[in-house]
Amino acid sequence: LGEAQTPPPLNITGPQEIQTLSHTFNGLAERLRMAKQETQHYVRELEQTNQKLSVSNDHYRMLWDHAVDCMVIIDMNGTIQDINHRGEQILGQPSSQIVGKPSSMLVIEEDRQHFTQCLEHVFTTKNEHTGSHVHVRLKDESVLTMQAALVPMVMDGAIPAILVQLTDVTEKRQLEQQLIRSEQLASLSQ
């Protein structure tokens, strides 16, 4: 940073040149006024868009937290990035004890390899995977049978994460097993 330099003096030679400079300054002033209006319009549009985005984010968060099933977002490294409120309730743990942990902690040891393979398959193929059943151990040591749906979260053509939806099918599976046993017993008595 040096000393401030003064502009060279204007050498105005006559009224015509003054008129030309006046028009030039007026044109410049008009362009600045128009640029200011465009900027103000852009800022208003940006504020409106941010307001809509905020409302949309609030709606998303409400749907996320109040979903019936346990919802978990898992990144490419297999790390849990987020869990919904229902997931916290089902697992009996706050998100602070779940987020940042390996996704394998969600399922019992016998299911970890299968669950990890399902995640890898979705990341590789970019296709969702449904129908797998996994077993989740709760804080009280009970085990739930969960149907897992793994959905790739595609952003700009890449898959940075997978949404895992875990639906409790424990009672349904127990009822199915009871029905099968009842049918077997009925066939033996005939």
Side-chain angles (χ1 to χ4, degrees):
L1 302 179
E3 296 178 23
Q5 297 181 358
T6 57
L10 293 174
N11 294 328
I12 301 173
T13 57
Q16 184 66 26
E17 199 169 347
I18 291 174
Q19 186 83 17
T20 302
L21 284 174
S22 174
H23 286 302
T24 302
F25 286 135
N26 287 341
L28 182 58
E30 180 61 23
R31 287 197 315 236
L32 286 173
R33 185 186 65 73
M34 289 175 62
K36 180 181 175 185
Q37 285 178 339
E38 287 177 15
T39 301
Q40 289 172 336
H41 178 73
Y42 174 74
V43 167
R44 278 191 304 275
E45 284 182 348
L46 190 58
E47 287 171 346
Q48 290 171 349
T49 301
N50 282 338
Q51 177 78 21
K52 289 177 184 176
L53 185 58
S54 176
V55 168
S56 176
N57 190 36
D58 291 345
H59 288 163
Y60 161 77
R61 183 50 66 182
M62 184 179 72
L63 291 170
W64 171 257
D65 281 336
H66 294 89
V68 175
D69 296 325
C70 174
M71 308 285 266
V72 183
I73 295 177
I74 299 172
D75 71 12
M76 292 176 62
N77 299 318
T79 304
I80 299 170
Q81 296 298 310
D82 200 1
I83 185 166
N84 68 343
H85 183 66
R86 182 69 177 139
E88 291 175 299
Q89 290 175 330
I90 291 171
L91 298 177
Q93 298 179 52
S95 64
S96 61
Q97 293 179 4
I98 300 169
V99 172
K101 299 279 179 14
S103 59
S104 60
M105 64 86 61
L106 291 171
V107 298
I108 63 173
E109 184 140 358
E110 294 83 18
D111 290 350
R112 288 182 181 164
Q113 182 178 359
H114 172 69
F115 185 65
T116 301
Q117 288 172 343
C118 291
L119 287 170
E120 290 171 356
H121 177 76
V122 173
F123 277 119
T124 303
T125 65
K126 298 183 181 182
N127 294 321
E128 70 179 69
H129 176 82
T130 58
S132 287
H133 289 88
V134 293
H135 298 91
V136 176
R137 187 173 312 282
L138 305 182
K139 197 168 191 164
D140 67 2
E141 295 299 317
S142 62
V143 175
L144 295 178
T145 302
M146 307 288 269
Q147 183 171 358
L150 289 73
V151 180
M153 298 176 71
V154 180
M155 295 180 193
D156 297 327
I159 300 177
I162 294 174
L163 171 66
V164 178
Q165 177 179 349
L166 297 171
T167 305
D168 185 0
V169 293
T170 306
E171 285 184 36
K172 180 181 175 187
R173 294 292 291 234
Q174 288 171 346
L175 289 172
E176 287 172 353
Q177 289 173 356
Q178 286 176 357
L179 181 61
I180 290 169
R181 272 183 267 168
S182 296
E183 289 174 351
Q184 288 172 342
L185 288 173
S187 69
L188 287 176
S189 66
Q190 291 178 356

